[in-house]
Amino acid sequence: MKKLARTSTLLLCLALPALPAMAQEAGVSVDRMSRLRGLVPEKQLEEQATMQYEELKQQARQKGVLAADTDPQLQRVRAISRRIIANATRWNPGASDWQWEINLIRADSVNAFCMPGGKIAFFSGLVDKLKLTDDEIAIVAGHEIAHALREHGRERVAKGNLLQLGANLGSAIFGLGQTGQMVVGQGAQLALLRFSREDETEADTVGLDLVARAGYDPRAGVALWRKMAMLEKSAPPQWLSSHPSGSNRIAQIQKTLPQVMPVYAKAVNAQSGALPPYRSNVQGVAPVQ
C-alpha cells in the first residue's frame, strides 16, 4: 500500500498547474522548468549521457566517420556553436559547469543533437543536404542546445518512468492483464509524443533567443524549415509525430520573431526596422522579412 500511495502521489504531479513564466528583460519568456525533473538525478543523467556520447564517438572513429579537429566543416560548426554557448547560463546557470563538446559525424543523416551536460553532435548530411548557411547552422545548434538547457531529456525520462508506473498500476488495479497493459502502454506512448512536441516548440523559442544574442539572424529558422519541406515531401501526421509539422513550426517561429529581432539588431549594432530581409542560398526559398 505504501508503494501504491507513493505512485499515486507521483502521478498527481502530472496534473499540477504550470509554474509562472520565466521572465527575461528582453527576448522571449517561457514557463519555468517542470518540477518532474527532480525525480531524475541531474548528475546521474549527465554521466550516462557522457558514457553514451563516448561510445558514439568510439564507434564513429572506428568506422572512420568522426571528423578530425582540423576538418573545416567541424571548425565551422564549433565556432558557431561556441558563440551560442556563450549565452547558455542565461537559461541555465548550471551550464557553466558543463564539459561542452562539439563533434561532427560524416554520415548522410539529416540530424543533430545536444545531450544533457552539453555533448553536441552534428551529422554532415544535415549541413550538406540542406546547404546550411552560418545563420541556419546557428538555428539548429540553438535549438539542440536549448533542449539541454531546458533539461528536456531529464524531464522526459521522469515522465516516461511515471507513465510506465501508471500503466503497471492500472493493469494491476483493474485486472487488465497483459493485453490491457499493452493498450495502456500505447496510450502512454501517445502522451509522451505530445510532451515531446511541447519540448520541440519550447526549444525552438529558446533557441531563437540564443541565436539572436549570438548575433545570428533568427529569421533563418523560417528559411531552414522551408528547405526541410523541399527535402522531405511527405511527413507523418502531426498527431503521430514527436515533432510539430513544418508549417506549424514556421508559424511559431514567425510569432516569436518580434520578440527576438530587437535582440538580434542590438547584437549586430543595427536598427531593428532597418535590417534587410534574410536571404537563404537555395533557389525557391523566399526572402524572410
Side-chain angles (χ1 to χ4, degrees):
M1 291 301 293
K2 290 183 178 179
K3 181 177 180 180
L4 177 61
R6 288 197 301 269
T7 303
S8 300
T9 301
L10 290 175
L11 291 173
L12 284 173
C13 291
L14 290 172
L16 290 174
L19 289 168
M22 176 180 174
Q24 301 283 316
E25 64 270 21
V28 304
S29 55
V30 297
D31 288 343
R32 294 188 182 277
M33 290 188 283
S34 171
R35 285 172 288 191
L36 292 176
R37 294 159 33 254
L39 300 176
V40 178
E42 179 181 3
K43 292 301 180 184
Q44 179 181 333
L45 190 64
E46 290 178 9
E47 289 173 1
Q48 292 174 349
T50 298
M51 289 177 59
Q52 292 179 15
Y53 190 74
E54 290 300 321
E55 289 175 4
L56 175 68
K57 284 169 50 183
Q58 183 177 359
Q59 292 173 8
R61 190 179 293 111
Q62 290 174 350
K63 295 179 180 179
V65 295
L66 183 67
D69 289 339
T70 55
D71 185 281
Q73 193 173 75
L74 173 58
Q75 292 178 344
R76 181 184 175 210
V77 169
R78 281 180 173 173
I80 294 168
S81 298
R82 284 168 178 160
R83 282 175 56 177
I84 294 170
I85 292 168
N87 297 279
T89 55
R90 185 181 195 85
W91 287 98
N92 190 327
S96 61
D97 297 325
W98 291 357
Q99 300 300 309
W100 292 90
E101 191 171 347
I102 308 155
N103 282 288
L104 176 74
I105 298 174
R106 297 214 158 275
D108 289 337
S109 179
V110 180
N111 201 4
F113 62 79
C114 181
M115 288 182 168
K119 304 301 184 183
I120 301 170
F122 267 75
F123 291 78
S124 60
L126 175 67
V127 180
D128 295 337
K129 291 183 179 180
L130 293 178
K131 297 182 172 66
L132 296 185
T133 65
D134 285 1
D135 293 291
E136 290 159 6
I137 289 176
I139 292 291
V140 174
H143 172 90
E144 299 303 334
I145 289 170
H147 273 308
L149 295 177
R150 299 295 291 165
E151 300 186 15
H152 289 159
R154 189 178 172 198
E155 180 182 350
R156 191 172 303 178
V157 169
K159 287 177 178 177
N161 291 343
L162 286 175
L163 288 166
Q164 186 58 51
L165 282 173
N168 295 337
L169 181 62
S171 178
I173 291 175
F174 299 110
L176 298 176
Q178 186 174 1
T179 302
Q181 186 170 338
M182 180 179 68
V183 172
V184 175
Q186 289 172 345
Q189 184 181 24
L190 289 176
L192 277 175
L193 291 175
R194 178 175 62 82
F195 293 143
S196 184
R197 288 198 298 272
E198 292 172 356
D199 291 347
E200 292 293 336
T201 298
E202 184 177 83
D204 278 344
T205 302
V206 174
L208 290 177
D209 187 272
L210 290 166
V211 164
R213 295 182 191 282
Y216 293 105
D217 197 329
R219 295 171 297 181
V222 175
L224 171 66
W225 282 101
R226 287 175 177 168
K227 282 184 175 184
M228 190 70 77
M230 295 170 66
L231 183 66
E232 299 181 0
K233 298 299 182 183
S234 61
Q238 182 178 351
W239 63 278
L240 282 179
S241 172
S242 62
H243 290 61
S245 67
S247 59
N248 286 356
R249 204 156 196 166
I250 289 173
Q252 183 62 37
I253 290 173
Q254 290 174 324
K255 182 180 177 181
T256 308
L257 286 178
Q259 301 172 56
V260 294
M261 287 305 293
V263 177
Y264 167 62
K266 181 179 179 180
V268 296
N269 296 315
Q271 293 294 322
S272 184
L275 289 167
Y278 175 77
R279 298 182 185 277
S280 191
N281 56 352
V282 171
Q283 187 175 2
V285 177
V288 185
Q289 296 290 338

